Amino acid sequence: MDELRSKGLQKMNEVYGWEMPNIEGDPYFDLTVDHLFGSIWNRPGLSMRDKRIMTLTAVTAVGNRDLAEIQINAALLNGELTETELKEMALFVTHYLGFPLGSALNGAVDAVVARRRKAAAKGAAEDKKANVNDAVQMHAGKKVHD
């Protein structure tokens, strides 16, 4: 594995909050790991928290709840944002994006927090294998959840 791929996978794992496997031979995955995570997410100038807030705002604006839930979970896992801050974000963006999209972000925060609390009550982290499978499907352009 070359240095850019290694750097990209490392950042992708940080962004998502779990270990993403290296998928060989998929041009779209190659571009995602090498360019988006190897280059763009590694640029200086913005903190990870800044990038997380921007990503959550962008995916909310386009109505991508699946990616919002992945970002919310990772933000909580990495300590970049609190539940209170995420709920405040939903309230704030509602006034710029409209009620349906802001409400979807609010619902995504509630869903992720509920899953994390349920997992914590069982003494386990969220199912990382399911999260990795979701991310692989998402990067392949497939719908993750109904």
Side-chain angles (χ1 to χ4, degrees), residues 17-21 125-137:
W18 65 74
E19 288 294 314
M20 180 63 108
E126 277 205 83
D127 183 356
K128 288 188 177 190
K129 184 176 182 185
N131 287 338
V132 170
N133 289 338
D134 285 355
V136 169
Q137 294 297 313

Side-chain angles (χ1 to χ4, degrees), residues 12-146:
M12 193 174 196
N13 293 336
E14 180 184 353
V15 170
Y16 287 148
W18 65 74
E19 288 294 314
M20 180 63 108
N22 183 26
I23 300 171
E24 300 280 342
D26 179 339
Y28 189 80
F29 187 80
D30 293 345
L31 181 65
T32 301
V33 174
D34 298 345
H35 180 67
L36 176 59
F37 292 102
S39 297
I40 302 302
W41 273 87
N42 275 297
R43 289 181 55 81
L46 296 172
S47 69
M48 280 299 292
R49 185 177 192 276
D50 295 339
K51 292 172 187 174
R52 184 82 64 195
I53 290 169
M54 291 182 66
T55 301
L56 270 167
T57 302
V59 300
T60 298
V62 298
N64 190 333
R65 182 172 166 153
D66 292 337
L67 189 50
E69 287 190 18
I70 290 169
Q71 293 293 321
I72 291 162
N73 186 60
L76 291 167
L77 181 68
N78 293 337
E80 296 156 350
L81 294 163
T82 66
E83 177 184 349
T84 301
E85 290 168 326
L86 288 161
K87 297 289 281 181
E88 191 63 30
M89 279 182 62
L91 179 68
F92 186 82
V93 300
T94 295
H95 292 75
Y96 288 90
L97 301 177
F99 185 80
L101 293 171
S103 178
L105 177 58
N106 188 64
V109 171
D110 289 343
V112 170
V113 168
R115 281 196 306 270
R116 291 176 60 83
R117 286 184 180 149
K118 184 177 179 181
K122 289 182 178 180
E126 277 205 83
D127 183 356
K128 288 188 177 190
K129 184 176 182 185
N131 287 338
V132 170
N133 289 338
D134 285 355
V136 169
Q137 294 297 313
M138 179 188 63
H139 283 289
K142 299 176 183 170
K143 186 161 175 61
V144 178
H145 299 286
D146 290 326

